[in-house]
Amino acid sequence: MTTESSSNNIETQYLEINANDDWPAFYQKIRVKSSKLAGQCTEALKPQNKNLNRYRDVHPYDHSRVILKRGSTDYINANLCKVEKAHRQYILTQGPLVNTVSHFWLMVWEQGSKAVLMLNKLIEKKAEKCYQYWPSSIGSVCIYNDVGLQLEYLEQHDHSYYLTRLLRLKDLESGEQRDILQFHYITWPDFGVPCSPTKFLDFLKKVRKAGVLGEDVGPAVVHCSAGIGRSGTFCVVDSCLVLIEKYGLNSVNVEEILMELRKYRTGLIQTHEQLRFSYQAIIEGAKQLLNLDSDGDDESEEHSIHIHDESEINEEALSSEEDNEPPPLPPPRSDSLKPVENGLADRPLPTIPQSVSDDNLTYKGNGDNSIEEKYIPSGPLPGVPAEEDEEGSSEDSLEDEDDADEENENEDDDGSLRTESPLSDKDETRSNISEVRHRRRVERKHHMEKQVRDMKRRQQANEQWQHLKRSLYVPLIVGCATLIGGGLVAYLYLKSN
C-alpha cells in the first residue's frame, strides 16, 4: 500500500486517531479550518427575521439559504447542502418554531422534497427542541392559509427506535397533492451519538430504500433541533458511503466531505464524539456492503467492527443518553459498495460490536401525545454522571444551547405520539436490577443522613456538657475556698484556746 493510499484509508486514520486519543484535537483542527469558509448571514440578522431563528447563534449562510417563493416572507433558517461527487443534496434546517411551521411545509412543497428526516425528540431535558409541525392525530388535518397549503396525517408505523409517518401535502390553489414520508429517529441523544452504529445504518438503509435521497426527487429535508449536529452526522455518513460505493474505500476522505458540507451551513457535526461515530458508522457500513458484494446477502449485519469493547460502549451510551452534558465551548469565531480494483479495499476491516440494544425502550402514553423513552443499559454503570444538554450552539458564536432555549422559548409543545412496547423477560430483569441499584442508592443516602444527624447530636451534647462544666466551675472554686477558709479559722481558734 502506498503512503498516499494509506493516508486516505478511513480505517487506518480512525485507528491512528483512536490510539492517540486525539479526537478533540482533530475535531478542533476541522473547526478552525472551516471557520475561514464561513459565509455572510445578513438575511438572518434582519430585525423582521430574528424571531424566525430558534437559536441566536445558528444562522443560514446567504449564499446557500433556501428562499421561499410565496407567503409573507422569503426567509427560513435552512440551507441547501451539496456533495457534488456523490450527487447528493440535502436541505438542513432547524426544528420548526410555532411561527415557522407554515414556512417549513412551504419549503417542502416548493423544493419537491419527498421526505423529512427528524433526528430529535420534541421535548428533550424538559425544554422544547422542536414544535410539533404535523397534525396531532391520525386522520386530522392542518390548514396553513398564509401559504395556501393543507396537511393531512394518514398513518404511522413504529419501528422500535424510530417511527415513520405518512403525510399528505396539498396545494389549496392548484389542488395538487403529494405524499410525504417522515422518518423520526427517537433515540438519538442531543450532543451525543446513537448507541449502536448498526442501528443507525439500519435507519439509513430504510431511508435509502424509500427512494427519497435520489437525484430524481427533491432534496430530503433533514433536521434536529438546530440542524447542525445530528443532521450533519447523518449527511456525512450517507455521502461517504455513496462515494465508497462508487470509488472504493480508500478514495474517500471524511474530513474533506465534512469541510465541503460546512461551506453550505455552519457547524455541521457539533462534537468530536459525533465525528468519531461518523467514522465508526462509515467503516461499519463499508464492511456490510463489502460483505454484501462477496456473499450476496443484502441483510448481512453479523459482521461488525470492534473498535472498543462492550463495556466501553455501554458506558458511553449511558452517559450520552442519560447524562447529556454539553461539550466545552469552542474558541471565538475567526475570520451501495465495491472493492477497489487495485486490491486496497480488501484489507481487513476492524469490527464494532452491536452496543446496547435500542430495543430496550418503552413508550408510555399519558394522553399528551409526547414521546417518552426508557433506556435500560447493560454493562457497568459509570461513576458519577454529568448532565448533557441539547444541540443548538453553533461553532461560531459558541453559546450554550440552554441559554438559547431560554431566549427562544415558545408556546408549550403539542408532543408526539406515544406508543407502547412491552419489555422482554431479559429487559424486565435489567429493569429489576436498575430498581435494586436505585433502592441501594436511596438506602445509602438515608444511612448517610442518619450518620450526619447522629454526629450533630453528639456534637450538641458535647457542647452542652462543656457549657455545664464552665457554669459549675466558679461556684465549685468559691465553695472550696470557703470550706478551706472555714477550716483554717476553726483550727486557729481551737489552737488559741
Side-chain angles (χ1 to χ4, degrees), residues 178-225:
R178 304 174 195 155
D179 287 348
I180 309 296
L181 274 172
Q182 185 200 43
F183 293 84
H184 187 181
Y185 205 117
I186 55 177
T187 59
W188 191 335
D190 184 40
F191 269 130
V193 298
C195 62
S196 170
T198 54
K199 289 292 185 182
F200 171 78
L201 291 169
D202 285 345
F203 175 80
L204 175 57
K205 185 187 300 182
K206 295 299 190 301
V207 174
R208 286 183 167 190
K209 282 185 176 180
V212 298
L213 299 176
E215 298 179 75
D216 56 337
V217 296
V221 175
V222 186
H223 79 85
C224 40
S225 182

Side-chain angles (χ1 to χ4, degrees), residues 152-408:
E152 183 180 2
Y153 188 0
L154 298 180
E155 58 186 61
Q156 174 186 289
H157 299 282
D158 185 356
H159 304 274
S160 179
Y161 62 100
Y162 71 94
L163 306 171
T164 55
R165 298 183 180 95
L166 181 61
L167 307 165
R168 181 162 292 163
L169 192 58
K170 181 179 180 180
D171 185 349
L172 296 177
E173 182 178 346
S174 66
E176 181 185 354
Q177 60 186 26
R178 304 174 195 155
D179 287 348
I180 309 296
L181 274 172
Q182 185 200 43
F183 293 84
H184 187 181
Y185 205 117
I186 55 177
T187 59
W188 191 335
D190 184 40
F191 269 130
V193 298
C195 62
S196 170
T198 54
K199 289 292 185 182
F200 171 78
L201 291 169
D202 285 345
F203 175 80
L204 175 57
K205 185 187 300 182
K206 295 299 190 301
V207 174
R208 286 183 167 190
K209 282 185 176 180
V212 298
L213 299 176
E215 298 179 75
D216 56 337
V217 296
V221 175
V222 186
H223 79 85
C224 40
S225 182
I228 57 177
R230 288 170 278 191
S231 300
T233 303
F234 177 91
C235 296
V236 167
V237 174
D238 177 57
S239 298
C240 286
L241 288 177
V242 171
L243 291 171
I244 290 172
E245 180 180 10
K246 289 177 176 290
Y247 307 112
L249 180 63
N250 297 317
S251 64
V252 176
N253 187 310
V254 179
E255 180 182 351
E256 288 181 0
I257 300 302
L258 177 54
M259 293 290 290
E260 181 175 354
L261 284 167
R262 282 190 169 213
K263 293 177 183 178
Y264 297 97
R265 186 167 175 85
T266 181
L268 301 187
I269 296 189
Q270 218 172 351
T271 68
H272 70 267
E273 289 89 355
Q274 289 176 346
L275 180 60
R276 183 187 186 209
F277 175 83
S278 299
Y279 273 80
Q280 293 175 350
I282 292 166
I283 296 172
E284 173 68 7
K287 179 74 173 179
Q288 291 181 9
L289 290 170
L290 288 171
N291 285 336
L292 171 61
D293 280 349
S294 60
D295 302 335
D297 182 8
D298 189 76
E299 300 297 329
S300 174
E301 288 175 5
E302 52 189 22
H303 306 280
S304 54
I305 12 180
H306 290 286
I307 294 192
H308 38 209
D309 53 86
E310 181 76 19
S311 62
E312 180 184 351
I313 295 179
N314 289 337
E315 234 175 298
E316 289 179 359
L318 179 61
S319 61
S320 63
E321 290 216 74
E322 293 185 345
D323 303 333
N324 284 343
E325 172 157 351
L329 295 178
R333 173 197 299 203
S334 57
D335 288 317
S336 277
L337 245 192
K338 302 172 183 176
V340 179
E341 293 182 0
N342 60 12
L344 295 178
D346 294 331
R347 173 174 177 155
L349 293 170
T351 50
I352 296 179
Q354 288 199 21
S355 175
V356 179
S357 175
D358 286 309
D359 297 328
N360 297 332
L361 302 169
T362 57
Y363 307 96
K364 300 180 180 179
N366 58 11
D368 64 357
N369 282 339
S370 65
I371 292 181
E372 277 190 14
E373 170 185 347
K374 181 176 182 182
Y375 176 59
I376 306 174
S378 62
L381 289 172
V384 180
E387 282 204 338
E388 175 190 82
D389 194 11
E390 159 69 56
E391 151 191 6
S393 222
S394 78
E395 300 291 337
D396 299 327
S397 66
L398 316 167
E399 301 277 358
D400 191 344
E401 184 173 335
D402 276 343
D403 297 334
D405 290 337
E406 293 174 5
E407 175 174 313
N408 297 284

Side-chain angles (χ1 to χ4, degrees), residues 118 120-124 126-128 130 132 134-137 156 163 165 184 186 362-374 412-420:
M118 179 176 180
N120 63 298
K121 294 187 290 187
L122 297 173
I123 303 293
E124 293 179 333
K126 299 181 181 179
E128 180 188 281
C130 177
Q132 182 168 327
W134 63 94
S136 58
S137 60
Q156 174 186 289
L163 306 171
R165 298 183 180 95
H184 187 181
I186 55 177
T362 57
Y363 307 96
K364 300 180 180 179
N366 58 11
D368 64 357
N369 282 339
S370 65
I371 292 181
E372 277 190 14
E373 170 185 347
K374 181 176 182 182
D412 291 340
D413 195 272
D414 291 337
S416 62
L417 187 64
R418 296 171 182 261
T419 59
E420 293 187 359

